[in-house]
Amino acid sequence: MSMEKAAAVLRRAQYPLFLSGAGISAESGVPTFRGTRGAKVGGAMEGLAADRGIDGLWNNYRAEDLATPEAFARDPHLVWGWYNWRKRLIASTQPNAAHFAIHRIAQKLPNLLCATQNVDGLHTLAGLESILEMHGNIYRTRCTQCQSLAIIRDDVTPTTQCGNCQSANLRPDIVWFGEQLPRAVLDSIYARLAVCDAILVVGTSGSVYPAAGFAIEVRRREGVVIEINVEDGHKPYAHDIYLRGKAGEILPQIADLV
Ligand code: OAD
């Protein structure tokens, strides 16, 4: 019933917004950052990740301790080590039923604006043509010397040279805590939020802003908040329709109904 309600709301919405978090990739085997299974970067082993022998080393760290400019300045080997580990792990995964379902929903609802906090690129791999990557992309590096961007699938170290200026000043092109999100991405999302009448939030703990504020904004404007998550958790916003369960099981059903 709620599933039909959710599909009907999305179908009728004029300016729908979709937001995903790490939970949507959990069933692909990408570890989440938070959730019942642990608060540490290598610890939240939902879904297949549990079978992948997640490297216990990373259980000693929180995302907030590694994903910061200060952490990188203090110990670039450690931070690159974490990103190399994550990149290798992500490269071994595939989009799951939830990623494919969102692609299907977007095909049925051409006005759906899709945004993700994930850096794994799995939405694109599932065929979604337009996805706003709010936090960057794990395969992309940025040279802090000449600002050029590059896709590097192999491991990167503090001595890896920039292909453009040859200096060794690469950093992950990922938004760290305390940094600004890409302006163009934010502008698109805020333009949508100004008129948004329904938001579908999937697999996020709602603990990192600005994404955590999107549903608050939609509710303030009396839009509908639809939430899919395996656990209710403590969110800074209320939802109108809550679908408890795995994204990979719920989203395909919604895609059928939309
Ligand atoms: P979190 O790890 O904080 O939250 C993951 C959420 O997914 C939790 O609420 C889980 O209950 C839920 N979940 C787990 N498995 C699920 C499944 N199969 N189906 C549905 N839900 C499921 O991830 P985010 O909220 O995305 O930033 O974290 C936000 C940001 O914090 C990340 O983008 C990252 C991190 O620091 C950066 O790295 C810059």
Side-chain angles (χ1 to χ4, degrees), residues 21-23 27 32-34 117 135 175 177 203-205 208 229 231 247:
E27 290 159 74
T32 60
F33 300 92
R34 304 169 192 84
Q117 298 168 86
H135 292 167
V175 179
F177 288 97
T204 175
S205 60
V208 174
N229 201 305
E231 60 185 30

Side-chain angles (χ1 to χ4, degrees), residues 1-9 241-243 253-254 257:
M1 184 58 202
S2 315
M3 222 146 351
E4 276 150 23
K5 232 164 97 186
V9 166
I241 302 175
Y242 173 50
L243 302 166
Q253 298 181 60
I254 294 184
L257 294 166

Side-chain angles (χ1 to χ4, degrees), residues 168-182:
N169 291 292
L170 298 183
R171 60 162 281 179
D173 191 34
I174 282 180
V175 179
W176 284 330
F177 288 97
E179 294 185 323
Q180 293 292 323
L181 270 66

Side-chain angles (χ1 to χ4, degrees), residues 98 152 191 241 256:
I152 303 185
I241 302 175
D256 288 343

Side-chain angles (χ1 to χ4, degrees), residues 69-88:
E70 293 77 22
F72 190 61
R74 199 168 46 237
D75 195 343
H77 279 281
L78 177 76
V79 174
W80 269 123
W82 180 47
Y83 281 110
N84 288 332
W85 170 75
R86 260 187 96 75
K87 187 160 67 173
R88 265 183 255 134

